[in-house]
C-alpha cells in the first residue's frame, strides 16, 4: 500500500470496505428475520434448511452479487477518472506484493475486467470454497445441534460481514492493480522514444 495515493486509499476504505460492510450486515439481518420469522430454531446441519445451508448460500451469492455490482461501478469510476489505477512496483520480493499482483492479474483482472455475468459467476465459484470451508470448520464450535432465530441472525450478520471484508476490497484492489498494469503496458508500447520522426 506504500504506493497508494491518499485519495485511492480513502476510495477503497470507504467505498469498498466500510459501506459494503454496513450494507451486507443490514441486508443479512433483514433476510434472516424475514425467512425465519416463524421458526423457533434451525438445525446447524441438514437439508433443506440449516445454518450450514445458509452459509453455503451466502458464500456463493454474496461474492456473485458483489462482483456484479462493484466491478461495474469501479470500472465506470476508472473510465470517468474518479479513481486512478494502482501502479505496482515492477519487481518486488515481498509476499504481500506478489499476492496482490497475482490477484490483480489472475483472479480478479481476468475474470472481472469486463464485468460480464460469466466472469462474475466464475469469480463467485472461485471464492466459494475460500469463504465456506473455514465457516463449516467453525460450526462444530457452537456445541449445539440447533440455534434460535436471534443466534441465526447473528451468525448470518457476522459471516456476511466477514465475507464482504474479504470479497469487496479484493475486487477493488484487483481491478485497480489490473488497470495499472494495463496502463503500464500501453505506456511501454507507446514510448515516444520509439515513435517515428515527423516529417515537415
Amino acid at each position: 500500500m506504500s504506493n497508494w495515493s491518499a485519495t485511492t486509499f480513502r476510495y477503497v476504505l470507504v467505498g469498498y470496505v466500510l459501506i459494503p460492510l454496513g450494507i451486507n450486515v443490514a441486508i443479512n439481518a433483514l433476510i434472516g428475520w424475514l425467512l425465519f420469522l416463524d421458526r423457533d430454531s434451525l438445525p446447524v446441519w441438514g437439508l433443506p434448511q440449516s445454518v450450514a445451508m445458509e452459509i453455503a448460500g451466502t458464500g456463493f451469492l454474496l461474492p456473485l452479487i458483489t462482483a456484479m455490482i462493484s466491478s461495474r461501478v469501479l470500472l465506470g469510476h476508472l473510465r470517468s477518472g474518479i479513481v486512478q489505477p494502482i501502479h505496482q512496483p515492477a519487481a518486488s520480493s515481498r509476499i504481500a506484493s506478489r499476492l496482490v499482483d497475482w490477484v490483480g492479474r489472475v483472479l480478479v483482472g481476468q475474470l472481472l475486467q469486463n464485468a460480464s455475468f460469466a466472469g462474475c459467476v466464475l469469480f463467485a465459484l472461485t471464492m466459494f470454497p475460500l469463504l465456506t470451508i473455514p465457516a463449516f470448520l467453525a460450526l462444530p464450535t457452537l456445541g449445539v445441534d440447533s440455534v434460535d432465530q436471534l443466534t441465526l441472525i447473528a451468525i448470518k450478520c457476522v459471516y456476511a460481514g466477514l465475507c464482504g471484508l474479504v470479497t469487496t476490497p479484493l475486487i477493488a484492489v484487483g481491478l485497480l492493480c489490473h488497470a495499472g498494469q494495463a496502463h503500464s503496458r500501453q505506456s511501454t508500447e507507446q514510448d515516444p522514444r520509439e515513435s517515428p520522426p515527423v516529417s515537415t
Side-chain angles (χ1 to χ4, degrees):
M1 292 185 184
S2 58
N3 58 322
W4 291 25
S5 68
T7 302
T8 300
F9 181 79
R10 285 195 301 270
Y11 174 85
V12 174
L13 177 63
V14 175
Y16 289 83
V17 178
L18 300 179
I19 292 176
L21 175 63
I23 291 174
N24 285 330
V25 170
I27 288 177
N28 276 272
L30 179 62
I31 290 174
W33 182 73
L34 291 176
L35 286 179
F36 304 105
L37 185 62
D38 59 344
R39 296 283 297 268
D40 293 329
S41 65
L42 192 73
V44 173
W45 302 97
L47 295 170
Q49 288 187 320
S50 65
V51 176
M53 289 300 100
E54 287 298 307
I55 286 174
T58 302
F60 176 75
L61 291 176
L62 188 144
L64 174 62
I65 295 171
T66 300
M68 291 174 64
I69 296 173
S70 297
S71 60
R72 285 172 170 80
V73 170
L74 193 144
L75 291 173
H77 287 175
L78 279 169
R79 285 191 294 268
S80 62
I82 292 176
V83 65
Q84 298 301 314
I86 296 174
H87 299 280
Q88 289 296 110
S92 176
S93 59
R94 292 184 300 175
I95 295 176
S97 296
R98 290 185 176 184
L99 179 61
V100 169
D101 180 65
W102 182 84
V103 167
R105 287 186 299 103
V106 180
L107 181 57
V108 177
Q110 296 302 318
L111 295 180
L112 301 181
Q113 59 180 328
N114 299 317
S116 67
F117 179 72
C120 292
V121 170
L122 288 175
F123 174 78
L125 289 173
T126 302
M127 294 300 298
F128 180 76
L130 302 177
L131 297 175
T132 56
I133 291 175
F136 287 157
L137 293 175
L139 282 181
T141 63
L142 293 174
V144 293
D145 295 327
S146 63
V147 297
D148 58 39
Q149 185 193 45
L150 290 179
T151 303
L152 172 64
I153 292 175
I155 292 172
K156 282 180 66 66
C157 289
V158 170
Y159 180 64
L162 292 174
C163 287
L165 286 176
V166 172
T167 302
T168 318
L170 184 65
I171 292 171
V173 174
L175 284 177
L176 289 173
C177 289
H178 180 76
Q181 291 164 351
H183 184 267
S184 297
R185 286 194 299 269
Q186 290 175 356
S187 298
T188 301
E189 293 169 358
Q190 298 174 357
D191 191 333
R193 291 174 297 180
E194 300 177 1
S195 300
V198 178
S199 59
T200 55

